[in-house]
Amino acid sequence: MDSKTHHTLATARGTTWLAAGGLRPTRQRLALAGLLVGDGMDRHVTAESLYAAAGDAGEKVSLATVYNTLRAFCAAGLLNEVVVDGSRSYFDTRIDDHPHFYWEDSNELTDAPAEDLVIAELPDAPAGMVVSRVDVVIRLRRA
């Protein structure tokens, strides 16, 4: 596939993805959406890694805009934010419930096999609250 066809397909996927979240397809949103979902693959990105990818693609976008856009994508239900620790968040294009491996040596987040995870019971939510989701991050380091 030539680069023009790839770019057209990425833009079409990004436009459809934004429409699914009810978001207006601004130039910057389209550029970032194309990088996130343009090839049809699921990915885990940090704001910094998406900012770098945008720069590599020749997109003029600030890091603050990347953060704000990722937050808007999360609010629209298009991404899930996975907080690994207080200083590191990843944004996941796969929005179904599934566990993750966090590779401490490389600071990489990947999907873990959901079929092997069993959560037998959760504590009751406090009065007036409901559990909105459960994030499972399994941290890995070399033995």
Side-chain angles (χ1 to χ4, degrees):
M1 175 182 322
D2 65 29
S3 69
K4 185 175 181 182
T5 302
H6 174 74
H7 179 71
T8 302
L9 185 56
T11 300
R13 281 190 177 127
T15 301
T16 301
W17 188 68
L18 290 172
L23 293 175
R24 195 167 47 88
T26 65
R27 181 192 65 77
Q28 291 173 324
R29 284 179 180 167
L30 275 172
L32 296 176
L35 291 169
L36 287 167
V37 300
D39 63 0
M41 303 295 292
D42 287 319
R43 60 184 26 88
H44 305 90
V45 300
T46 63
E48 292 79 8
S49 70
L50 185 58
Y51 173 72
D56 291 346
E59 297 294 338
K60 303 277 191 254
V61 47
S62 71
L63 182 57
T65 297
V66 171
Y67 271 105
N68 291 336
T69 303
L70 287 169
R71 299 271 181 237
F73 290 171
C74 287
L78 297 172
L79 293 177
N80 278 333
E81 182 177 10
V82 180
V83 179
V84 174
D85 60 39
S87 64
R88 187 174 302 269
S89 287
Y90 289 81
F91 298 88
D92 190 354
T93 58
R94 183 176 158 195
I95 57 172
D96 66 313
D97 289 335
H98 62 282
H100 292 95
F101 286 133
Y102 177 67
W103 305 79
E104 292 180 340
D105 294 343
S106 62
N107 295 322
E108 184 180 7
L109 190 74
T110 60
D111 293 336
E115 63 275 6
D116 296 338
L117 178 68
V118 178
I119 298 176
E121 192 171 336
L122 293 174
D124 291 335
M129 303 301 290
V130 296
V131 174
S132 64
R133 65 182 256 182
V134 175
D135 290 328
V136 176
V137 176
I138 303 158
R139 300 176 72 92
L140 303 173
R141 62 178 161 75
R142 295 207 183 280

